[in-house]
Amino acid sequence: RGIYFGKPRGFGTNDKGEETGFNTEIYSAAEIDRIARVAFEVARKRGGKLCSVDKANVLEASMLWRKRVTAIASEFPDVELSHMYVDNAAMQLVRNPKQFDTIVTNNIFGDILSDEASMITGSIGMLPSASVGESGPGLFEPIHGSAPDIAGQDKANPLATILSAAMLLKYGLGVESAAKRIEAAVTETLDNGFRTGDIYSPGTTLVGCKRMGEEVLKALES
Ligand SMILES: NC(=O)c1ccc[n+]([C@@H]2O[C@H](COP(=O)([O-])OP(=O)(O)OC[C@H]3O[C@@H](n4cnc5c(N)ncnc54)[C@H](O)[C@@H]3O)[C@@H](O)[C@H]2O)c1
């Protein structure tokens, strides 16, 4: 949705005869309602706080976005809704990322902010993701790709993939207790000082992909 798919789009010529390129940021009320409900449901399963990010001070598409998200909030009185302009959100993510619990935003802002957020964790090897619609099935995967430059060297950080399984349990299957066990095992493994190369710092224990996985299993069983 949004500007990546909106029409009209294309190339043209302006009245000075200059070449132009153009795209359309467009959302229908029904689309925003659908996205907002998924976001409120996610926030409910997290810390109960939802921040809607837009550019409602200049974009009509964002004005409708804010209006609809605000309207849908009445269905979720247990979730605390706030709004933030995207330029401020980009700054706040770097300044104090912990202030956020769940963020809902349009396609292009989410595309950019999610990459920015990935660096806060230190490595893309740490970040799981879930693509969920109104009704399943969802798609759960680490945000990174196949890392061809380190393939077969036992160097990859497996935590993003392991945490994706936790997201599957939580958001796909609704088995929160099992998800929490996996998340706690990952936290414990990190607390025990184990690090793959991408997140290594002096004073921690450098391990490969296989060993990291084994340590998470140990923590899970303990
Ligand atoms: N979600 C997806 O399906 C997805 C996302 C990104 C890239 N890809 C695909 O993956 C392939 C490689 O793409 P790329 O190299 O641009 O991105 P990439 O995410 O595979 O790698 C980017 C950099 O991050 C490192 N990295 C990635 N995962 C890591 C991990 N778990 N532990 C440690 N380091 C890790 C890699 O070594 C590399 O230096 C391409 O075919 C691309 O299309 C798929």
Side-chain angles (χ1 to χ4, degrees):
R1 297 296 107 199
I3 199 166
Y4 294 167
F5 300 94
K7 287 181 182 151
R9 62 186 296 159
F11 300 101
T13 315
N14 68 14
D15 42 16
K16 290 188 205 145
E18 296 163 336
E19 201 178 4
T20 60
F22 57 93
N23 296 84
T24 302
E25 164 74 350
I26 181 166
Y27 280 95
S28 69
E31 282 167 346
I32 301 167
D33 291 2
R34 180 177 56 77
I35 295 163
R37 285 195 181 97
V38 172
F40 277 107
E41 293 287 356
V42 169
R44 219 173 223 175
K45 289 188 184 165
R46 293 178 51 91
K49 276 170 62 183
L50 179 65
C51 180
S52 175
V53 170
D54 61 39
K55 191 73 182 168
N57 47 343
V58 283
L59 300 177
E60 280 77 3
S62 276
M63 292 171 200
L64 180 68
W65 179 278
R66 190 174 283 220
K67 186 170 127 188
R68 293 311 313 163
V69 172
T70 304
I72 298 299
S74 62
E75 297 172 21
F76 299 86
D78 51 322
V79 176
E80 184 192 318
L81 173 68
S82 61
H83 301 276
M84 196 179 280
Y85 294 137
V86 63
D87 40 356
N88 186 24
M91 181 186 70
Q92 296 296 337
L93 263 176
V94 173
R95 197 182 70 86
N96 176 19
K98 281 198 170 158
Q99 71 184 284
F100 296 105
D101 175 45
T102 308
I103 292 178
V104 61
T105 189
N106 67 9
N107 204 345
I108 188 168
F109 297 161
D111 189 2
I112 298 165
L113 291 179
S114 60
D115 269 34
E116 184 191 355
S118 77
M119 289 322 294
I120 296 165
T121 64
S123 165
I124 54 174
M126 294 295 299
L127 269 188
S129 81
S131 306
V132 289
E134 223 170 355
S135 57
L139 181 68
F140 304 87
E141 56 174 351
I143 70 155
H144 61 74
S146 54
D149 54 333
I150 54 169
Q153 300 171 38
D154 193 30
K155 279 186 182 161
N157 184 342
L159 296 183
T161 302
I162 292 169
L163 290 169
S164 298
M167 287 194 102
L168 185 155
L169 288 163
K170 190 168 177 179
Y171 300 106
L173 303 174
V175 199
E176 231 180 303
S177 55
K180 282 211 172 101
R181 276 187 65 202
I182 294 179
E183 286 163 1
V186 167
T187 304
E188 191 180 320
T189 306
L190 291 167
D191 286 348
N192 288 341
F194 296 105
R195 300 285 190 278
T196 42
D198 58 313
I199 52 172
Y200 175 77
S201 61
T204 60
T205 310
L206 181 65
V207 294
C209 180
K210 190 161 179 277
R211 173 82 191 279
M212 193 68 148
E214 286 163 1
E215 291 300 332
V216 174
L217 269 182
K218 252 191 244 168
L220 195 65
E221 283 155 9
S222 73

